[in-house]
Amino acid sequence: MKIKVNAIALKSHVLEWLASATGSHPNLVLAPENLDPIHLKSREICCTMRRSRYLLNTVKETPKEAVVISHQLMLRAGMIKQLASGIYSFLPLALRSLRKIEQIVREEMNAAGAIELLMPSVQPSELWVESGRWQIYGKELLRMKDRKDNDFCYGPTHEEVVTDIVRKEVRSYKDLPLNLYQIQTKFRDEVRPRFGLMRGREFIMKDAYSFDVDDPSADRSYQAMYDAYKRIFSRCGLAFRPVEADSGLIGGSYTHEFHVLAQSGEDEILSCDQCDYAANVERCERQIETRSAAARPFEKVATPGKKSIEDVSAFLNVPAENCLKTLLYQNGETILACCLAGDRELNETALKNLFDGEEVFLVDPQTAQEKYGLPIGFVGPIDLPQSITALVDREIAEGGPWVCGANQVDHHFVGVTADQIRGKIVNLGQTRAGDRCPRCQNGHFTSHRGIEVGHVFKLGTKYSERMGATFLDAQGSSQPCIMGCYGIGVSRTMAAAIEQNFDEQGIIWPLQIAPFHVNLLNLDPSAELTQQTCDSLVTALEAKGIEVLYDDRDERPGFKFKDADLIGLPLQIIVGMRGLQGGTVEIKARRTGQRQQVALAGAVDEVIAQLQELGWGKERV
RNA sequence: CGGGGCGUAGCGCAGCCUGGUAGCGCGCCUGCUUCGGGAGCAGGAAGUCGGAGGUUCAAAUCCUCUCGCCCCGACCA
């Protein structure tokens, strides 16, 4: 009863505020001319959503199939729904975030001079046969036949299609440079889909393709994309790092990956603590430092049962870094003896690249013994059979003396000097944290985990030559276009954002890609006063272009708090009778957890102020 | 593709070994109470036990085959 009396007394006060806040009667919908024009765009696509009328079902328990945090939270927050392995529906909440990422990508791509188009997702095999990839792409390419039995595939990427367009449309150097992009659903029949959106089979990707007349121009196109990518991920509010990368099978000479930094990242990246060199561990160079040890005479010693570097090191009292390990790899019929320091890992990517990216496999111990007479655990580079190709890591070639296997069970050599080791000197060892940077020769590497969300490639003329994408230069002679390709995993970026921004309670959206800006919680939805207050807050916030998710459901307060934290919108406005009796509402910042009681009259201004602090209204970074 | 695991109500699971009535928690619907951190009580709806074949008087349960999903290793946005 008491509350009722207070409520009535309050009502006039609230109505007064409403009139001043919206400039009209609260029940009146604002006419368009009352809207701040700069916010019209966001209003068009983002009306307030009432939870009672929205498709958003959250769950308390973590679904068992989800092992990474983004997958768990997206399922719990009702963002995605699995349809088949690696194939997900984006439910409304997720779609809103996705659209925001797409919009940032569009704006920055357009600003960088790229032109949007949309290519078919289903592609005829002819183009792929022409580029040579129908044969080599393997099972990852989802192939299908139409009713006339013609071969098609669902596009995992669009080099072929875009090159086909360009060869038909571009004739003169005057038509170049050209950079075409699209945002589209791709399908790659991954060997093992996992981690929800992080490694799905169907995913949304922005792919861009540049065509230039010569190398300097192609390099400018590449640089423009590199810069655009930096702006894109900054605007998404993510901590990221561009790194030099391995070009892998797509080929090409020059490539960077963009990684969102997160503990759960699948890639290791190394960055110099002094200069700006950073690279994927697969690709990272290092400054070779000579490892010397006390000279000792060359001799064979017995090392009974000491197979591992650890055992040998302990047994002979020689540090692992002065021991030498020899790994037997196989490339086709060729057997490779790969020598590197005992404390260093082999970089398989580097090894593969010595063989044009062909697969290499470790030789199993039984085969090594039976076919080549080499006892695994005691293999060394000295007196290897002629049929075996020895590869020696540069680190070995410059140091010594070393301890190494004697190619005889239970025996090692000690006092081995570098000139005793025959073999081709190459870079085989994997760089690791603490190694010296080769660029500035001053700093040392630190290690991070990263999620690859973007990749820029300089492709060269591989596709344009094969598919005849040529133009006439100023001299009238035909030249192949120099190509580049540039991808951003849009749906993966959304997942990566969550991997980087969460706590025990749920997601913490960066404002720029949050599905809504504000979560308005009506704690007493059956009370007329809270209803009216919320309605008018909604109107006032909308008029400022602020996107509101309004929890008007008939649920208990605790339930709504948990839900709001799980969904993780940047700000929560909490409206309850308790606060309204003092004429206040509460504003809670999701990331800091900081709560503030503010007078109703100042609530919208305070929300705007807090949103601005989170980066609201900053179009460009 | 190799290795492992799991398919029973929308979700999480028990039941299976030792064949015979399909069960629990969450969620959902109704009512009452409750109401600032995922409420309580009472009532209710909901399952071709992944599919096919077999054994049996009788199969969620035993056998065979199949499909799907998840996890661990080699690929990639």
Side-chain angles (χ1 to χ4, degrees):
Chain A
M1 196 44 123
K2 191 179 172 196
I3 286 179
K4 229 171 189 173
V5 171
N6 281 345
I8 292 164
L10 257 172
K11 205 165 169 180
S12 65
H13 163 69
V14 170
L15 285 175
E16 199 175 305
W17 162 76
L18 291 176
S20 69
T22 63
S24 66
H25 190 276
N27 291 337
L28 230 77
V29 175
L30 283 185
E33 57 268 24
N34 290 343
L35 290 173
D36 186 343
I38 60 166
H39 297 307
L40 274 174
K41 185 183 67 186
S42 83
R43 188 182 155 82
E44 277 165 25
I45 53 166
C46 310
C47 336
T48 295
M49 284 297 163
R50 289 173 176 260
R51 282 296 301 269
S52 62
R53 304 295 316 143
Y54 203 47
L55 179 67
L56 205 184
N57 295 316
T58 57
V59 282
K60 196 161 37 172
E61 294 90 6
T62 300
K64 62 163 183 180
E65 74 267 20
V67 294
V68 296
I69 203 79
S70 64
H71 192 193
Q72 291 174 354
L73 290 176
M74 275 192 275
L75 288 170
R76 285 191 55 206
M79 295 174 65
I80 56 172
K81 195 93 191 153
Q82 178 170 337
L83 183 63
S85 178
I87 302 178
Y88 294 85
S89 294
F90 295 97
L91 300 179
L93 196 69
L95 183 64
R96 290 184 66 105
S97 175
L98 204 60
R99 289 283 185 251
K100 295 204 171 179
I101 298 169
E102 287 179 4
Q103 190 54 33
I104 290 170
V105 169
R106 268 199 186 92
E107 289 175 14
E108 294 300 336
M109 291 302 291
N110 293 344
I115 307 166
E116 186 169 8
L117 47 48
L118 185 58
M119 293 180 269
S121 54
V122 174
Q123 308 177 11
S125 63
E126 284 80 1
L127 286 179
W128 287 75
V129 170
E130 213 180 322
S131 73
R133 291 207 290 186
W134 187 256
Q135 288 77 15
I136 63 168
Y137 213 97
K139 287 194 142 184
E140 204 164 290
L141 187 63
L142 180 64
R143 297 159 208 252
M144 50 194 149
K145 286 181 185 291
D146 69 2
R147 62 167 69 201
K148 291 183 284 186
D149 223 29
N150 292 323
D151 286 309
F152 286 85
C153 63
Y154 196 103
T157 177
H158 280 69
E159 279 84 5
E160 282 79 2
V161 178
V162 77
T163 307
D164 181 60
I165 291 171
V166 165
R167 71 179 167 185
K168 288 170 175 164
E169 299 296 327
V170 168
R171 292 179 185 90
S172 158
Y173 70 95
K174 293 172 191 168
D175 299 328
L176 298 175
L178 194 58
N179 187 334
L180 301 171
Y181 79 97
Q182 63 175 349
I183 296 175
Q184 205 219 28
T185 299
K186 306 273 193 231
F187 195 95
R188 294 185 189 171
D189 203 350
E190 287 277 346
V191 179
R192 191 151 98 78
R194 59 187 138 170
F195 305 152
L197 295 191
M198 296 267 281
R199 185 176 292 274
R201 293 194 291 173
E202 184 172 297
F203 58 98
I204 296 174
M205 180 174 168
K206 185 283 302 177
D207 48 327
Y209 306 88
S210 66
F211 298 83
D212 285 275
V213 295
D214 57 22
D215 258 320
S217 175
D219 289 344
R220 282 194 295 277
S221 293
Y222 185 95
Q223 190 62 39
M225 286 296 102
Y226 183 93
D227 294 340
Y229 276 32
K230 286 205 286 192
R231 285 195 298 272
I232 287 166
F233 295 117
S234 298
R235 279 188 61 188
C236 287
L238 300 173
F240 68 98
R241 183 112 209 188
V243 304
E244 294 184 14
D246 186 74
S247 54
L249 281 179
I250 301 183
S253 41
Y254 197 54
T255 173
H256 287 85
E257 293 169 347
F258 284 75
H259 284 264
V260 166
L261 304 179
Q263 283 302 315
S264 60
E266 288 189 86
D267 287 295
E268 183 181 2
I269 59 185
L270 295 169
S271 62
C272 175
D273 56 14
Q274 296 289 314
C275 70
D276 60 5
Y277 180 58
N280 193 305
V281 69
E282 291 176 348
R283 160 75 186 216
C284 192
E285 296 161 12
R286 67 189 201 272
Q287 179 68 34
I288 303 291
E289 311 218 41
T290 306
R291 300 176 168 201
S292 36
R296 63 189 288 184
F298 175 72
E299 60 174 326
K300 186 187 283 185
V301 296
T303 51
K306 308 300 176 190
K307 290 185 167 187
S308 67
I309 289 292
E310 199 179 20
D311 291 346
V312 172
S313 166
F315 184 72
L316 296 177
N317 197 24
V318 174
E321 60 177 48
N322 297 115
C323 295
L324 191 159
K325 66 180 167 192
T326 305
L327 303 170
L328 293 181
Y329 272 85
Q330 188 167 359
N331 167 253
E333 290 305 302
T334 311
I335 302 300
L336 310 163
C338 305
C339 305
L340 64 164
D343 61 338
R344 197 168 282 283
E345 296 299 314
L346 180 126
N347 182 349
E348 279 199 13
T349 304
L351 182 60
K352 270 196 269 191
N353 287 345
L354 295 173
F355 298 92
D356 295 327
E358 286 174 31
E359 283 301 320
V360 292
F361 308 94
L362 266 176
V363 176
D364 70 89
Q366 202 182 344
T367 311
Q369 183 60 255
E370 288 173 3
K371 286 182 77 174
Y372 310 103
L374 294 174
I376 296 293
F378 304 97
V379 181
I382 296 177
D383 298 331
L384 280 168
Q386 284 296 322
S387 62
I388 291 179
T389 305
L391 299 173
V392 179
D393 185 42
R394 200 167 297 279
E395 200 163 47
I396 302 301
E398 292 183 8
W402 304 93
V403 170
C404 72
N407 295 325
Q408 182 187 342
V409 177
D410 292 346
H411 287 83
H412 279 78
F413 288 126
V414 299
V416 178
T417 57
D419 55 8
Q420 286 176 278
I421 303 170
R422 70 169 182 90
K424 190 177 173 191
I425 296 169
V426 290
N427 285 320
L428 277 183
Q430 185 152 292
T431 309
R432 62 182 172 217
D435 284 344
R436 191 183 291 275
C437 171
R439 299 288 166 91
C440 65
Q441 308 212 344
N442 189 19
H444 295 267
F445 287 115
T446 52
S447 170
H448 314 268
R449 302 301 299 184
I451 301 164
E452 187 187 354
V453 290
H455 210 152
V456 292
F457 273 102
K458 188 176 171 190
L459 277 180
T461 56
K462 180 177 164 185
Y463 293 95
S464 52
E465 275 181 9
R466 235 175 254 193
M467 297 183 63
T470 59
F471 62 93
L472 290 182
D473 66 16
Q475 284 71 46
S477 69
S478 182
Q479 304 283 351
C481 298
I482 315 251
M483 290 176 61
C485 71
Y486 317 94
I488 289 179
V490 176
S491 44
R492 181 185 277 185
T493 299
M494 178 164 68
I498 295 172
E499 292 291 333
Q500 194 179 71
N501 298 282
F502 68 94
D503 63 14
E504 318 74 54
Q505 298 302 315
I507 302 169
I508 305 175
W509 286 107
L511 178 72
Q512 298 83 346
I513 61 173
F516 296 87
H517 300 133
V518 169
N519 202 340
L520 174 63
L521 309 186
N522 184 347
L523 297 191
D524 299 286
S526 55
E528 207 177 317
L529 184 65
T530 56
Q531 276 175 29
Q532 291 198 349
T533 306
C534 287
D535 285 349
S536 42
L537 275 169
V538 161
T539 309
L541 291 166
E542 269 191 357
K544 297 292 183 184
I546 296 167
E547 302 158 12
V548 183
L549 180 65
Y550 173 23
D551 193 344
D552 61 335
R553 296 171 301 170
D554 184 18
E555 294 288 353
R556 296 160 59 84
F559 188 91
K560 295 190 175 190
F561 291 138
K562 289 287 187 190
D563 228 28
D565 286 348
L566 173 61
I567 293 166
L569 302 180
L571 289 185
Q572 295 167 18
I573 307 177
I574 299 154
V575 177
M577 287 306 293
R578 205 172 78 179
L580 282 186
Q581 284 176 60
T584 64
V585 295
E586 186 173 309
I587 297 174
K588 177 183 164 185
R590 175 64 181 88
R591 190 177 293 275
T592 61
Q594 202 171 71
R595 299 147 173 282
Q596 202 177 341
Q597 302 288 339
V598 298
L600 202 42
V604 173
D605 286 341
E606 178 58 27
V607 167
I608 289 173
Q610 290 203 23
L611 287 178
Q612 280 170 340
E613 244 170 77
L614 295 171
W616 191 59
K618 286 184 201 150
E619 291 285 291
R620 302 292 288 266
V621 176

